[in-house]
Amino acid sequence: MIGCLVIVAAHSSWAKRHPGFLKVLIPASFCLYLILAFGFNINGELAGAVGRDPTLTDRTTIWSSLLNMRTNPVVGTGYESFWLGPRLQPIWQVFGPLMSHTTATWRSIST
């Protein structure tokens, strides 16, 4: 929204006559966005307002569960073998058997 306002302001005839205004408007808009996003969680609020899950389909919940699992800190679990063995059942009990393959792949790479 803020970006759209900056674009409209940049194309206005007033801004073309006063280019110094844009030199102030663009950094000020960026700072305003940072304050709203990190200070007031405006991204999560907007996602919730349009009916979306602010955690992007519970990814943060999945990641916190996965990162709490015990793995070998030196060699990990092996490439694409994180989901083999006893680690699979507790996750399926919490999230169901249809977890995203992307999450599984990233967890395999990071361990």
Side-chain angles (χ1 to χ4, degrees):
M1 180 80 149
I2 294 173
C4 291
L5 293 175
V6 169
I7 291 171
V8 168
H11 289 287
S12 72
S13 60
W14 188 86
K16 290 177 182 175
R17 287 181 300 204
H18 302 92
F21 174 73
L22 290 179
K23 292 179 183 177
V24 174
L25 178 66
I26 292 172
S29 298
F30 181 68
C31 290
L32 176 64
Y33 169 74
L34 290 177
I35 291 169
L36 291 174
F38 295 110
F40 298 102
N41 190 27
I42 194 73
N43 294 340
E45 295 296 327
L46 285 174
V50 296
R52 300 289 183 194
D53 183 7
T55 64
L56 300 174
T57 64
D58 289 330
R59 287 184 189 147
T60 54
T61 308
I62 294 168
W63 275 100
S64 65
S65 297
L66 293 176
L67 292 174
N68 286 330
M69 298 184 101
R70 294 194 170 269
T71 60
N72 187 321
V74 177
V75 295
T77 60
Y79 183 70
E80 291 196 9
S81 65
F82 180 81
W83 298 109
L84 302 176
R87 289 180 290 274
L88 183 61
Q89 292 304 321
I91 296 299
W92 274 8
Q93 289 174 355
V94 174
F95 299 105
L98 300 175
M99 275 198 44
S100 167
H101 179 69
T102 305
T103 303
T105 303
W106 280 107
R107 180 60 182 156
S108 295
I109 292 170
S110 67
T111 56

